[in-house]
Amino acid sequence: MAQAPGQTGSVAERSKALDLGSSLFGGVGALLSIRAVRPRKSRLPETRGERTRERSAPGAHQERAGAAPRLPPTLCQPRSSTLPAGVRLLGSERRRGWAAAVPGLAARGRCRLRASPAELFVRGPGDPDPRHPRTWPPPCRPRAGPERNEGHAGRSDVSPGSTLVRWPAPSRGRDRDRTCRGAGIQGSRRGDGAPGPSLPGGTRTPDIHLGEPVLSARETGCARGKQTTIRAHSSAPRPPPPGPLRQGGLLLWSPLPGHPSFLPAMAVYRVCVTTGPYLRAGTLDNISVTLVGTCGESPKQLLDRLGRDFAPGSVQKYKVRCSAELGEVLLLRLHKERYAFFPKDSWYCSCICVTAPDGTCSHFPCYQWIEGYCTIELRPGTAKTICQDSLPLLLDHRKRELQGRQECYRWKVYAPGFPGMIDVSSFEEMETDKKFALTKMTPRADPGDSSGNRYLPGFPMKIDFPSLMHMEPNIRYSATKMASLLFSAIPASLGMKLRGLLDRKGSWKKLDDIRNIFWCHKTVISEYVMEHWCEDPFFGYQYLNGVNPIMLHCLSSLPSKLPITNDMVAPLLGPDTCLQTELERGNIFLADYWILAEAPVHCLNGRPQYVAAPLCLLWLNPQGALVPLAIQLSQTPGPESPIFLPTDSYWDWLLAKTWVRNSEFLVHENNTHFLCTHLLCEAFAMATLRQLPLCHPIYKLLLPHTRYTLQVNTIARATLLNPEGLVDKVTSVGRQGLLYLISTALAHFTYTDFCLPDSVRARGVLAIPNYHYRDDGLRIWAAIESFVSEIVGYYYPSDASVQQDSELQAWVGEIFAWAFLGRESSGFPRRLCTPGELVKFLTAIIFNCSAQHAAVNSGQHDFGAWMPNTPSSMRQPPPQTKGTATLKSYLDTLPEVNVTCNNLLLFWLVSQEPKDQRPLGTYPDEHFTEEAPQRSIAAFQNRLAQISREIRERNQGLELPYAYLDPPLIENSVSI
């Protein structure tokens, strides 16, 4: 048999060699046994010029009359819907067999293994010369310029062992042919003149038609998972002419009969998209993805299947096809675009999972609402600090992400001495196509401008509506939470309105009338308070386990501003001890309300209100009960500031305790609750969003503890702090007094006060029995600290790793500047140097955002439903003499009816955590995808479960259970 030029050895010899290789490598033998037949004539991509060249080619008539040749199989479907003659398809079984045989062929020198996923097959000694003048009609035309094959013959730069590669020609007639020699393609370029993606060895691969859609099984005649052959009309097939076979821009040369040549397999990435299960979380918009890897970038591919895509709670799978593997996937671009005539909507994307052809699975956490038509970029879930990123692409991504967020989240000073807050007024309907815009609001009126305040029917105060109308979905309440809040507020408010309580002015006629305000909203604790509110042991109990359990300080000596003698308290102490002895034993404690001494006062119902700054001395008796010893209602002793004692008349002593409870209300609501949890946690959330990218481990750690914080604080400023808001309607200090108290408290707030273990030691209250807040709080602090320590230890193994993290240092620096106003005397860090310092700071933040807020918020209705126990205002000045108090004077001092009802309405709302709760340690959004952090989360949840069991077991033996720090009842963040 005659041999083609350039071929050595007979066909029989070469077939024998290949059969031997097939027996060694399981898939190749099956590969060569495929029956090949000619495709139907109607599917041949012949043109008039091609038929002319075929008829004029030497030996054409012999080919038509000769024996059936072995047609070259391909590993992938051609890009065109028509198949060229001489091409046959391999099923998945054949491709797997070939993949198993490739290493052996590479060892024999038949192919070269490259870093690029698309292998280039090297012409063997007997393969046809690529400079042969005859060409095979390509299945598709190049993108630029006509197909030209002339000029290759006789070129000296084409070595015998090379494979000719052609991709679309650049403009101005540049040479479009490159030769692959040695380890890779030298100097390759894309068809548009731009360089292709680089490979590890410094080579570049052609970036051609990445991921172009291929034919479905229906279009190619292939049944799913079955082998398909294409039958010819003639029983005498002809051998294909040697020449280039184009796949995209890559030219592979078909060998002579008996020598298979394979096109590179299409790389298939499987994309699994999870839509959130929330109301209206689905979308009708077009969703497309682009994968960016170390070796290239896929085209934007539409994710579309038969039926509804991206329905709420759905998990749907798609395929993204690329002409070559992309290497490690670095970024995933998510495109949201208009579909037909449907209006734009919001889509909650939970996460996206991408499975590479080699089986590697990459998780891309999203967990956010995507509004309008935009493109967002997601990174894999593996958390990385800036020191762990070295690729310019990823560093640039971090920089652009933070720049975009800093444009959206801007600081604002609400009032002098206030922590920084989110600048709502500067948002002018943020563009929905910003990649990293997570907030979008319309301008609102300045707090001093009442033009935006309006009354809502049924509510007693004005509401700043403009600041609430256009909250971006990622920070606003979910539909479930908002509906739950409204269903709690509206019936309670309307009920009081219909009964005329919200409009009734004047004093209460008798104390029992107060019981009827919330006759349908009673709790076990509120009933207990009604029965025991006037008893001294319960008065002292509230300093330990009430809503403000951080006021007590142990005394070793009496302050000069409280001139109490032993004779005053001897009847209560008993004959076996004295005041000095109890001071030395550490049994005397003081609650000092000095901050109220210069607080401005307000008018309610046209009448001036009054404020006291009392000093309350308490004693821990031998029975373990904390009881009041003496009360002075001012900071300045003297004849006009008598010291009230338990031995005084019933109404004098009760009125003095009620003044202390009023001061307790003002300090608790403004400082302990609103400042130390709400406002500081908002500053933490702002700094986290502005300075830490999504892939940062500290961002992933803190994000669940900032959920809804910006929303609830915006609501508070729109309903409580605004002019004629609820603060102006119910408190004796009003809005101006609130501004004074918060700024003064922040000026004296320290890092020791912020950290619970340091605080209880500094206040000297470690030995007080039945201090459930302290006991439960320290156990939860220890659990959080252990959890944070494991997370920090995983990502920050050394001091240098903390010090060199510029994003982390910018984060803590911004907190120091905006939350604590850069005050060095506060003791808060402006820079972190060791992992231990970072662990303590993070533990304090998480504790105050979760457990501390639960401790000072959840019991407000329980302890305040009985108004005399927690009055919000006082209508008479503090008594300056003893023996003048009566029931009538006591009722005239308490708040009026409408003020009482407004305050109790507030207590009811803030104590009822709306639905859509996430208890402490619950992380349904899997931002951490590594195994180590997930193990730490599981261990943290186990510790909290153990703490909960211990608390519930203890509460079974208590007359008054303390459950505010039971972990399942603690919200992850400040959300109400």
mmCIF file of all heavy atoms in Angstrom, residues 864-893:
data_model
loop_
_atom_site.group_PDB
_atom_site.id
_atom_site.type_symbol
_atom_site.label_atom_id
_atom_site.label_comp_id
_atom_site.label_asym_id
_atom_site.label_seq_id
_atom_site.Cartn_x
_atom_site.Cartn_y
_atom_site.Cartn_z
ATOM 1 N N GLY A 864 -41.055 47.234 84.228
ATOM 2 C CA GLY A 864 -41.633 48.564 84.061
ATOM 3 C C GLY A 864 -43.120 48.585 83.856
ATOM 4 O O GLY A 864 -43.717 49.672 83.811
ATOM 5 N N ALA A 865 -43.773 47.405 83.681
ATOM 6 C CA ALA A 865 -45.223 47.396 83.479
ATOM 7 C C ALA A 865 -45.942 47.988 84.685
ATOM 8 O O ALA A 865 -46.998 48.628 84.537
ATOM 9 C CB ALA A 865 -45.711 45.971 83.201
ATOM 10 N N TRP A 866 -45.391 47.767 85.859
ATOM 11 C CA TRP A 866 -45.926 48.444 87.055
ATOM 12 C C TRP A 866 -45.202 49.783 87.170
ATOM 13 O O TRP A 866 -44.100 49.869 87.628
ATOM 14 C CB TRP A 866 -45.729 47.586 88.286
ATOM 15 C CG TRP A 866 -46.204 48.227 89.554
ATOM 16 C CD1 TRP A 866 -45.434 48.671 90.569
ATOM 17 C CD2 TRP A 866 -47.560 48.480 89.914
ATOM 18 N NE1 TRP A 866 -46.203 49.206 91.571
ATOM 19 C CE2 TRP A 866 -47.530 49.099 91.185
ATOM 20 C CE3 TRP A 866 -48.796 48.257 89.308
ATOM 21 C CZ2 TRP A 866 -48.688 49.492 91.853
ATOM 22 C CZ3 TRP A 866 -49.947 48.646 89.972
ATOM 23 C CH2 TRP A 866 -49.892 49.257 91.224
ATOM 24 N N MET A 867 -45.864 50.837 86.693
ATOM 25 C CA MET A 867 -45.216 52.127 86.515
ATOM 26 C C MET A 867 -44.539 52.677 87.767
ATOM 27 O O MET A 867 -43.434 53.236 87.679
ATOM 28 C CB MET A 867 -46.222 53.133 85.959
ATOM 29 C CG MET A 867 -45.645 54.519 85.728
ATOM 30 S SD MET A 867 -45.808 55.595 87.178
ATOM 31 C CE MET A 867 -47.569 55.784 87.298
ATOM 32 N N PRO A 868 -45.096 52.586 88.975
ATOM 33 C CA PRO A 868 -44.401 53.147 90.137
ATOM 34 C C PRO A 868 -43.021 52.544 90.378
ATOM 35 O O PRO A 868 -42.184 53.169 91.048
ATOM 36 C CB PRO A 868 -45.352 52.833 91.304
ATOM 37 C CG PRO A 868 -46.694 52.733 90.672
ATOM 38 C CD PRO A 868 -46.452 52.120 89.326
ATOM 39 N N ASN A 869 -42.770 51.352 89.847
ATOM 40 C CA ASN A 869 -41.445 50.750 90.017
ATOM 41 C C ASN A 869 -40.422 51.391 89.088
ATOM 42 O O ASN A 869 -39.220 51.375 89.398
ATOM 43 C CB ASN A 869 -41.530 49.242 89.747
ATOM 44 C CG ASN A 869 -40.235 48.534 90.048
ATOM 45 O OD1 ASN A 869 -39.727 48.582 91.172
ATOM 46 N ND2 ASN A 869 -39.673 47.878 89.039
ATOM 47 N N THR A 870 -40.858 51.959 87.965
ATOM 48 C CA THR A 870 -39.930 52.584 87.005
ATOM 49 C C THR A 870 -40.601 53.802 86.377
ATOM 50 O O THR A 870 -40.941 53.796 85.190
ATOM 51 C CB THR A 870 -39.522 51.583 85.904
ATOM 52 O OG1 THR A 870 -39.179 50.336 86.483
ATOM 53 C CG2 THR A 870 -38.334 52.106 85.109
ATOM 54 N N PRO A 871 -40.812 54.869 87.116
ATOM 55 C CA PRO A 871 -41.452 56.049 86.534
ATOM 56 C C PRO A 871 -40.506 56.771 85.580
ATOM 57 O O PRO A 871 -39.306 56.884 85.835
ATOM 58 C CB PRO A 871 -41.786 56.912 87.750
ATOM 59 C CG PRO A 871 -40.792 56.501 88.776
ATOM 60 C CD PRO A 871 -40.516 55.044 88.537
ATOM 61 N N SER A 872 -41.058 57.262 84.468
ATOM 62 C CA SER A 872 -40.226 57.932 83.466
ATOM 63 C C SER A 872 -40.078 59.421 83.733
ATOM 64 O O SER A 872 -39.211 60.068 83.129
ATOM 65 C CB SER A 872 -40.839 57.722 82.074
ATOM 66 O OG SER A 872 -42.138 58.299 82.010
ATOM 67 N N SER A 873 -40.906 59.976 84.586
ATOM 68 C CA SER A 873 -40.811 61.400 84.917
ATOM 69 C C SER A 873 -41.374 61.623 86.315
ATOM 70 O O SER A 873 -42.123 60.774 86.833
ATOM 71 C CB SER A 873 -41.564 62.255 83.890
ATOM 72 O OG SER A 873 -42.949 61.993 83.940
ATOM 73 N N MET A 874 -41.045 62.775 86.870
ATOM 74 C CA MET A 874 -41.558 63.145 88.195
ATOM 75 C C MET A 874 -42.059 64.586 88.108
ATOM 76 O O MET A 874 -41.356 65.483 87.656
ATOM 77 C CB MET A 874 -40.475 63.015 89.263
ATOM 78 C CG MET A 874 -39.883 61.612 89.374
ATOM 79 S SD MET A 874 -41.027 60.372 90.001
ATOM 80 C CE MET A 874 -40.744 60.520 91.765
ATOM 81 N N ARG A 875 -43.310 64.793 88.566
ATOM 82 C CA ARG A 875 -43.960 66.089 88.382
ATOM 83 C C ARG A 875 -43.744 67.046 89.552
ATOM 84 O O ARG A 875 -44.070 68.228 89.458
ATOM 85 C CB ARG A 875 -45.458 65.879 88.170
ATOM 86 C CG ARG A 875 -45.780 65.188 86.855
ATOM 87 C CD ARG A 875 -47.270 65.097 86.654
ATOM 88 N NE ARG A 875 -47.893 64.182 87.605
ATOM 89 C CZ ARG A 875 -49.130 64.322 88.103
ATOM 90 N NH1 ARG A 875 -49.863 65.363 87.744
ATOM 91 N NH2 ARG A 875 -49.621 63.433 88.954
ATOM 92 N N GLN A 876 -43.209 66.568 90.658
ATOM 93 C CA GLN A 876 -42.932 67.405 91.821
ATOM 94 C C GLN A 876 -41.437 67.365 92.109
ATOM 95 O O GLN A 876 -40.763 66.382 91.798
ATOM 96 C CB GLN A 876 -43.714 66.909 93.041
ATOM 97 C CG GLN A 876 -45.221 66.935 92.878
ATOM 98 C CD GLN A 876 -45.767 68.348 92.740
ATOM 99 O OE1 GLN A 876 -45.186 69.319 93.251
ATOM 100 N NE2 GLN A 876 -46.888 68.479 92.031
ATOM 101 N N PRO A 877 -40.893 68.427 92.710
ATOM 102 C CA PRO A 877 -39.460 68.430 93.030
ATOM 103 C C PRO A 877 -39.158 67.436 94.147
ATOM 104 O O PRO A 877 -40.057 67.021 94.896
ATOM 105 C CB PRO A 877 -39.200 69.871 93.466
ATOM 106 C CG PRO A 877 -40.515 70.376 93.947
ATOM 107 C CD PRO A 877 -41.547 69.689 93.087
ATOM 108 N N PRO A 878 -37.890 67.037 94.268
ATOM 109 C CA PRO A 878 -37.522 66.119 95.358
ATOM 110 C C PRO A 878 -37.847 66.743 96.714
ATOM 111 O O PRO A 878 -37.679 67.960 96.909
ATOM 112 C CB PRO A 878 -36.007 65.924 95.169
ATOM 113 C CG PRO A 878 -35.747 66.301 93.754
ATOM 114 C CD PRO A 878 -36.737 67.355 93.412
ATOM 115 N N PRO A 879 -38.320 65.948 97.636
ATOM 116 C CA PRO A 879 -38.672 66.507 98.961
ATOM 117 C C PRO A 879 -37.434 67.026 99.692
ATOM 118 O O PRO A 879 -36.372 66.399 99.660
ATOM 119 C CB PRO A 879 -39.289 65.312 99.689
ATOM 120 C CG PRO A 879 -38.751 64.118 98.991
ATOM 121 C CD PRO A 879 -38.560 64.508 97.567
ATOM 122 N N GLN A 880 -37.578 68.154 100.315
ATOM 123 C CA GLN A 880 -36.473 68.773 101.053
ATOM 124 C C GLN A 880 -36.621 68.610 102.558
ATOM 125 O O GLN A 880 -35.711 68.948 103.321
ATOM 126 C CB GLN A 880 -36.387 70.260 100.702
ATOM 127 C CG GLN A 880 -36.084 70.500 99.225
ATOM 128 C CD GLN A 880 -35.987 71.969 98.883
ATOM 129 O OE1 GLN A 880 -36.264 72.844 99.723
ATOM 130 N NE2 GLN A 880 -35.591 72.276 97.651
ATOM 131 N N THR A 881 -37.765 68.086 102.973
ATOM 132 C CA THR A 881 -37.997 67.802 104.384
ATOM 133 C C THR A 881 -38.686 66.454 104.504
ATOM 134 O O THR A 881 -39.306 65.958 103.559
ATOM 135 C CB THR A 881 -38.888 68.881 105.029
ATOM 136 O OG1 THR A 881 -40.126 68.944 104.335
ATOM 137 C CG2 THR A 881 -38.201 70.248 104.996
ATOM 138 N N LYS A 882 -38.572 65.898 105.669
ATOM 139 C CA LYS A 882 -39.238 64.622 105.928
ATOM 140 C C LYS A 882 -40.614 64.856 106.529
ATOM 141 O O LYS A 882 -40.899 65.915 107.090
ATOM 142 C CB LYS A 882 -38.406 63.770 106.883
ATOM 143 C CG LYS A 882 -37.067 63.322 106.330
ATOM 144 C CD LYS A 882 -36.363 62.401 107.326
ATOM 145 C CE LYS A 882 -35.025 61.914 106.795
ATOM 146 N NZ LYS A 882 -34.377 60.969 107.738
ATOM 147 N N GLY A 883 -41.451 63.838 106.447
ATOM 148 C CA GLY A 883 -42.758 63.864 107.088
ATOM 149 C C GLY A 883 -43.840 64.560 106.311
ATOM 150 O O GLY A 883 -44.930 64.791 106.860
ATOM 151 N N THR A 884 -43.607 64.885 105.053
ATOM 152 C CA THR A 884 -44.611 65.594 104.259
ATOM 153 C C THR A 884 -45.284 64.714 103.214
ATOM 154 O O THR A 884 -46.260 65.127 102.597
ATOM 155 C CB THR A 884 -43.966 66.794 103.540
ATOM 156 O OG1 THR A 884 -42.926 66.326 102.688
ATOM 157 C CG2 THR A 884 -43.394 67.789 104.562
ATOM 158 N N ALA A 885 -44.778 63.519 102.972
ATOM 159 C CA ALA A 885 -45.305 62.680 101.897
ATOM 160 C C ALA A 885 -46.574 61.976 102.330
ATOM 161 O O ALA A 885 -46.691 61.499 103.464
ATOM 162 C CB ALA A 885 -44.267 61.654 101.486
ATOM 163 N N THR A 886 -47.555 61.943 101.416
ATOM 164 C CA THR A 886 -48.811 61.237 101.610
ATOM 165 C C THR A 886 -49.140 60.479 100.321
ATOM 166 O O THR A 886 -48.445 60.616 99.307
ATOM 167 C CB THR A 886 -49.953 62.207 101.941
ATOM 168 O OG1 THR A 886 -50.138 63.092 100.839
ATOM 169 C CG2 THR A 886 -49.648 63.003 103.218
ATOM 170 N N LEU A 887 -50.217 59.704 100.341
ATOM 171 C CA LEU A 887 -50.633 58.999 99.137
ATOM 172 C C LEU A 887 -50.969 59.983 98.033
ATOM 173 O O LEU A 887 -50.592 59.782 96.866
ATOM 174 C CB LEU A 887 -51.836 58.103 99.441
ATOM 175 C CG LEU A 887 -52.494 57.441 98.225
ATOM 176 C CD1 LEU A 887 -51.505 56.534 97.491
ATOM 177 C CD2 LEU A 887 -53.739 56.653 98.655
ATOM 178 N N LYS A 888 -51.670 61.108 98.390
ATOM 179 C CA LYS A 888 -52.030 62.076 97.363
ATOM 180 C C LYS A 888 -50.793 62.743 96.781
ATOM 181 O O LYS A 888 -50.654 62.891 95.558
ATOM 182 C CB LYS A 888 -52.972 63.118 97.944
ATOM 183 C CG LYS A 888 -53.467 64.123 96.899
ATOM 184 C CD LYS A 888 -54.415 65.128 97.522
ATOM 185 C CE LYS A 888 -55.000 66.042 96.438
ATOM 186 N NZ LYS A 888 -53.968 66.688 95.614
ATOM 187 N N SER A 889 -49.852 63.147 97.636
ATOM 188 C CA SER A 889 -48.631 63.779 97.109
ATOM 189 C C SER A 889 -47.809 62.778 96.299
ATOM 190 O O SER A 889 -47.133 63.154 95.333
ATOM 191 C CB SER A 889 -47.806 64.363 98.260
ATOM 192 O OG SER A 889 -47.314 63.330 99.110
ATOM 193 N N TYR A 890 -47.882 61.535 96.705
ATOM 194 C CA TYR A 890 -47.168 60.502 95.949
ATOM 195 C C TYR A 890 -47.773 60.350 94.557
ATOM 196 O O TYR A 890 -47.046 60.308 93.552
ATOM 197 C CB TYR A 890 -47.224 59.191 96.717
ATOM 198 C CG TYR A 890 -46.427 58.071 96.053
ATOM 199 C CD1 TYR A 890 -45.044 57.989 96.223
ATOM 200 C CD2 TYR A 890 -47.063 57.111 95.273
ATOM 201 C CE1 TYR A 890 -44.318 56.971 95.615
ATOM 202 C CE2 TYR A 890 -46.346 56.092 94.674
ATOM 203 C CZ TYR A 890 -44.976 56.027 94.843
ATOM 204 O OH TYR A 890 -44.258 55.029 94.242
ATOM 205 N N LEU A 891 -49.105 60.295 94.449
ATOM 206 C CA LEU A 891 -49.754 60.170 93.147
ATOM 207 C C LEU A 891 -49.542 61.417 92.297
ATOM 208 O O LEU A 891 -49.443 61.335 91.070
ATOM 209 C CB LEU A 891 -51.249 59.907 93.332
ATOM 210 C CG LEU A 891 -51.619 58.545 93.927
ATOM 211 C CD1 LEU A 891 -53.117 58.464 94.200
ATOM 212 C CD2 LEU A 891 -51.188 57.422 92.998
ATOM 213 N N ASP A 892 -49.465 62.589 92.935
ATOM 214 C CA ASP A 892 -49.228 63.825 92.190
ATOM 215 C C ASP A 892 -47.793 63.922 91.677
ATOM 216 O O ASP A 892 -47.516 64.715 90.773
ATOM 217 C CB ASP A 892 -49.543 65.036 93.072
ATOM 218 C CG ASP A 892 -51.038 65.186 93.324
ATOM 219 O OD1 ASP A 892 -51.828 64.608 92.538
ATOM 220 O OD2 ASP A 892 -51.416 65.858 94.310
ATOM 221 N N THR A 893 -46.898 63.137 92.255
ATOM 222 C CA THR A 893 -45.498 63.143 91.800
ATOM 223 C C THR A 893 -45.293 62.189 90.636
ATOM 224 O O THR A 893 -44.450 62.447 89.756
ATOM 225 C CB THR A 893 -44.569 62.767 92.967
ATOM 226 O OG1 THR A 893 -44.785 63.681 94.050
ATOM 227 C CG2 THR A 893 -43.111 62.824 92.533
#
